[in-house]
Amino acid sequence: MLNDRENILSALREKSLKLREVMKRANVVNEEVCQTLLLKMRDEGLVKFDIHTGRWLIG
């Protein structure tokens, strides 16, 4: 799981992405796992979610 977090962060460093794009770039197979990780990282202040565009970006 720690490796998935690193992959997600490295994917988001390039540009803001939608959930499916994050899954492709970070190589996370399960959508629920990816979304749970993103929500945990949002709570920690590492990433943000732009509700207007539906994209995740580095916090």
Side-chain angles (χ1 to χ4, degrees), residues 12-56:
L12 290 175
R13 280 189 190 101
E14 295 174 23
K15 63 180 181 176
S16 62
L17 302 168
K18 292 190 177 194
L19 179 63
R20 296 280 181 177
E21 296 168 338
V22 171
M23 288 175 58
K24 283 182 184 178
R25 288 191 181 222
N27 201 19
V28 179
V29 180
N30 190 339
E31 181 177 344
E32 189 175 324
V33 170
C34 186
Q35 191 162 9
T36 302
L37 281 172
L38 284 166
L39 290 173
K40 284 182 184 179
M41 289 191 292
R42 184 191 67 183
D43 291 343
E44 296 169 3
L46 295 173
V47 297
K48 293 182 181 178
F49 181 73
D50 184 357
I51 195 164
H52 300 292
T53 62
R55 294 183 178 272
W56 290 92

